[in-house]
Amino acid sequence: MPAERTPHPPLVVGVLPGRSPEVLETAVELARVLAAPLVCAFVDEASYLVEWDPARSAHRLSLHPEADNEGLRAQTERLRSEIAAACEGPGVEWSLRTLAGDPARALGRLAADAGAAMIVVGTPEPGLGHRITAALNGSVAAWLSHHQDRPILIVPARASGPGGSRRGS
């Protein structure tokens, strides 16, 4: 009698609209090869976590309550389109979660809740502004690598310029 087939644990990938397409591309290819579902997570850093409820998106309060939620909705829809386009060809099952608070901790909580096999994140974007942000807030990849009990795949951003080659290659 054949063994009962168990579903594969998902991969969690941190996504941002319009940035580091190689992170999503790498996660989609890995999910395809492993026949695993992909849980994409966008963390709204302009909000903070009020209560963690795994059955729903995070309950959050905005740090800018007068701000219009249209911006967040537009970002989420843009991400939904980017993810759908990336997953459609390879036939990867995917979902999108919008989380709140510190990105590293939010991704860690989601991965734990989902029983993820791995977390996929990118390196900080090149440029002074991103380096200052990483210095002040810390690196998502570094925090996860020190505080997670599951594998972390860190996908470097492609260098801009002719050929889009990576630095050091």
Side-chain angles (χ1 to χ4, degrees):
M1 178 165 12
E4 188 174 306
R5 187 173 172 157
T6 58
H8 297 280
L11 303 178
V12 168
V13 59
V15 293
L16 291 168
R19 289 211 352 231
S20 302
E22 54 272 16
V23 174
L24 180 58
E25 292 164 2
T26 300
V28 167
E29 180 60 18
L30 189 57
R32 184 191 67 76
V33 168
L34 297 174
L38 196 58
V39 179
C40 303
F42 168 58
V43 183
D44 176 20
E45 292 182 79
S47 297
Y48 62 94
L49 188 63
V50 176
E51 176 184 335
W52 173 248
D53 181 357
R56 299 176 49 191
S57 286
H59 299 278
R60 60 188 164 276
L61 294 177
S62 176
L63 295 176
H64 308 286
E66 68 284 351
D68 187 15
N69 282 336
E70 282 302 313
L72 180 59
R73 277 193 278 280
Q75 284 183 319
T76 302
E77 285 309 310
R78 180 176 172 191
L79 271 174
R80 199 174 299 283
S81 296
E82 289 175 12
I83 296 165
C87 292
E88 185 178 1
V92 171
E93 178 187 334
W94 65 275
S95 61
L96 174 62
R97 295 284 304 266
T98 302
L99 306 173
D102 176 78
R105 287 170 177 82
L107 289 172
R109 283 189 305 269
L110 177 60
D113 179 57
M118 178 183 297
I119 302 173
V120 181
V121 294
T123 57
E125 294 287 320
L128 180 62
H130 295 290
R131 282 194 303 237
I132 291 171
T133 299
L136 293 174
N137 298 331
S139 162
V140 171
W143 190 91
L144 286 169
S145 69
H146 290 99
H147 295 91
Q148 279 297 303
D149 59 354
R150 63 195 80 247
I152 311 298
L153 175 62
I154 303 169
V155 180
R158 289 187 189 113
S160 33
S165 63
R166 296 181 196 270
R167 283 177 278 194
S169 54

